[in-house]
Amino acid sequence: MIEPATEAVLADVPRAGVEETDEAVARAKAALPAWRALTPGARAQMLRSLADTLAEHHEELAVLEARNAGKAIGDARGEMAMVVDTFRYYSGAPERLLGDTIPVAGGQAFTVREPLGVVGLITPWNFPLTIASWKLAPALAAGNTVVLKPAELTPLTALRFAELAEQAGLPDGVVNVVVGPGRTCGQRLVEHPDVAKIAFTGSTEVGRSIAAGAAASIKRVTLELGGKSANIIFADADLEAAAAAAPLAVFGNAGQDCCARSRILVQESVLERFLELLEPEVKALRVGDPLDESTEMGPLISAEQRESVGSFLNGEAPIAFQGDAPDGPGYWFAPTVLAPVKPGDRVAREEVFGPIAAVLSFSDEAEAVRLANDTIYGLSGSVWSRDGARALRVARGVETGVLSINSNTSVRVTTPFGGFKQSGYGRELGPHALDAYTEVKMIFYATEG
């Protein structure tokens, strides 16, 4: 593993292949009967114990995540707190997997929720343990056993999580981690006959291949994929607040966020004023050592990612202004604002996954909605306006799974998260996540001879 801030070796991790993946699935399959047979209260207690154990190791996990993924330590601490909160939230789920009673003739019909079985979890490098926890917690709460395949670039917190799960008392085989390439380990999970479901977070391109591969065995699949989200700012908005919030909505985690509001749509009558307010905010962003308490943005994950992001600075759209980034070792990239950007420009169409914001203008509400929807993606977004009715109209009109008004928040443990269109399908977090890890069974009990 290479540390993105230093380009030095952080750790050596053996690379797994098909054989190791099969062994992990076999362990999960063997552990399944006992895990699903636990009483709801016993499974809930184990998840509470796991949450407590994770909380005890919060700082250790945060530093490990910051170093392995190159994220600011403050962000890493917040993410590890969310991991703990996610397990605490879903520790209540085993005792709340409710069914329905349905009136029928000749007896009683009712539904129960059954676990799927062995679930394969394939997770990305941008929020390694956080996104893993969004899948792990509801899957385990519902009575499934899991095989987690973290991204090859950032497996360290997943491996540590497996150790902490064992320390917290989870039975052997319930949680398994396989570190290897997606083209071998990930593909094997998708194809494996004993894997009932794949939950994937990553690129839309890879998501398409997973959906196609899973179709062969009718595997259940949930996909959380790419985004090209719009931050829509109307002339009557609090421009100072919108400009202050916009940078981290794009540049947080060095822009490596599928929820990044990377298209900033500004009503043309206030475009010049908004850019004047945005520039000092961008230039004040602290980019540097992830372990420095004052750092707000760290490096990109790899040299390859830096090259990919840099390809968007090709002169098609002019650079309006940039922030600063360190020199020397590390995959650094200065936060950059491109303006004016035309709707057909590459930076307005493709997911950058780096710290580049594209500013476009619009004339009225109808054009704002049209531009926001002019993308294959539909994951997140924001609307800034003091006109509450218009803000709600636009929020309903934008084709995206998660949207906020006068803020840039996307994700909460207690609310559903997921996308429209080619941003994926299925929902994570909140009560809805359990639907993706259970099957509904109808039972009819005859009461008449």
Side-chain angles (χ1 to χ4, degrees), residues 6-355:
T6 65
E7 301 185 50
V9 174
L10 177 60
D12 291 315
V13 177
R15 174 179 286 187
V18 170
E19 182 179 350
E20 290 81 6
T21 305
D22 285 350
E23 290 170 354
V25 172
R27 288 193 300 272
K29 183 179 180 181
L32 179 64
W35 180 249
R36 71 183 297 172
L38 279 178
T39 65
R43 194 181 311 130
Q45 181 54 48
M46 285 197 177
L47 292 178
R48 284 193 290 271
S49 175
L50 177 54
D52 291 342
T53 301
L54 292 168
E56 291 167 5
H57 294 267
H58 172 271
E59 184 67 10
E60 173 200 345
L61 290 168
V63 171
L64 191 59
E65 197 82 298
R67 295 189 66 189
N68 195 188
K71 56 179 70 249
I73 185 63
D75 291 345
R77 289 185 181 124
E79 291 169 25
M80 295 308 102
M82 187 182 200
V83 171
V84 174
D85 289 345
T86 301
F87 278 94
R88 290 204 196 286
Y89 178 79
Y90 286 106
S91 70
E95 296 171 298
R96 292 168 178 78
L97 286 171
L98 307 179
D100 299 303
T101 56
I102 303 168
V104 294
Q108 178 67 58
F110 61 95
T111 64
V112 294
R113 288 193 170 273
E114 302 284 11
L116 296 171
V118 177
V119 176
L121 312 176
I122 304 174
T123 54
W125 46 257
N126 56 334
F127 296 95
L129 190 56
T130 306
I131 289 178
S133 75
W134 300 354
K135 305 177 193 309
L136 285 160
L140 294 172
N144 304 282
T145 54
V146 299
V147 178
L148 169 63
K149 195 210 83 65
E152 270 197 288
L153 292 172
T154 54
L156 298 184
T157 49
L159 291 167
R160 184 64 177 131
F161 172 86
E163 295 172 348
L164 294 175
E166 181 179 1
Q167 181 178 320
L170 269 69
D172 290 344
V174 171
V175 173
N176 306 272
V177 177
V178 175
V179 179
R183 64 183 178 275
T184 53
C185 299
Q187 184 174 339
R188 180 56 180 156
L189 286 173
V190 171
E191 297 172 350
H192 201 296
D194 291 334
V195 174
K197 176 204 167 70
I198 295 292
F200 171 77
T201 297
S203 72
T204 296
E205 179 183 9
V206 175
R208 290 189 194 103
S209 68
I210 286 175
S217 56
I218 320 296
K219 250 182 202 60
R220 277 51 176 162
V221 177
T222 50
L223 302 173
E224 196 270 283
L225 308 175
K228 192 66 184 173
S229 300
N231 188 1
I232 306 170
I233 298 160
F234 285 95
D236 69 337
D238 182 337
L239 295 182
E240 287 78 7
L248 285 178
V250 186
F251 305 136
N253 205 46
Q256 300 167 131
D257 183 352
C258 52
C259 290
R261 273 73 165 169
S262 57
R263 291 183 298 150
I264 305 177
L265 311 184
V266 185
Q267 197 157 18
E268 55 193 13
S269 62
V270 295
L271 177 60
E272 183 176 344
R273 175 57 179 156
F274 179 79
L275 289 172
E276 290 174 353
L277 293 167
L278 182 62
E279 183 172 4
E281 299 286 348
V282 171
K283 291 185 173 179
L285 199 66
R286 295 289 297 271
V287 182
D289 178 2
L291 298 183
D292 187 323
E293 298 287 346
S294 65
T295 292
E296 296 173 284
M297 181 183 126
L300 293 169
I301 190 67
S302 66
E304 180 183 14
Q305 186 66 14
R306 183 173 58 185
E307 182 178 355
S308 173
V309 173
S311 71
F312 287 88
L313 303 186
N314 57 6
E316 184 181 39
I319 297 174
F321 44 85
Q322 290 181 288
D324 296 318
D327 297 320
Y331 307 123
W332 307 103
F333 200 100
T336 302
V337 175
L338 303 183
V341 173
K342 299 186 290 293
D345 289 347
R346 178 176 169 237
V347 75
R349 312 296 303 173
E350 298 180 18
E351 185 176 32
V352 177
F353 226 62

